[in-house]
Amino acid sequence: MILYTFFDEHDFSGKTIVPFNTHGGSRFSDTIGTIAGLEPDAVVIEDGFTVSRNNVHEAEPDIIRWLEDLGYAK
Ligand SMILES: Cc1cc2nc3c(=O)[nH]c(=O)nc-3n(C[C@H](O)[C@H](O)[C@H](O)COP(=O)(O)O)c2cc1C
């Protein structure tokens, strides 16, 4: 529950939260909606990046494309 504690202790009002994770099969599950519920005054990017722990080693091109699509890549 460390992220519940994290969001309890920090106020992200007016900030943009860009979710990304690795997973073992569950992808994001309900994580993005949960973050949005905990931080109602933040902008939570719905198009987060999730990658299976089995595919991390080959994820770099997908990560770069995701960042470009969000406008965060150089
Ligand atoms: C206590 C624990 C619970 C986990 N629960 C899930 C889960 O519910 N769904 C899932 O996809 N992966 C789950 N995982 C797998 C982790 O997401 C996986 O280990 C991670 O993506 C790989 O990153 P790491 O090297 O930082 O552990 C769990 C791992 C641990 C240790």
Side-chain angles (χ1 to χ4, degrees), residues 22-26 53:
T22 62
H23 68 86
S26 302
R53 61 188 173 200

Side-chain angles (χ1 to χ4, degrees), residues 21-29 51-54 56:
N21 76 353
T22 62
H23 68 86
S26 302
R27 301 180 63 85
F28 271 116
S29 190
V51 59
S52 165
R53 61 188 173 200
N54 299 322
V56 168

Side-chain angles (χ1 to χ4, degrees), residues 37-48:
L38 293 170
E39 297 293 336
D41 296 320
V43 174
V44 182
I45 299 296
E46 295 288 330
D47 180 24

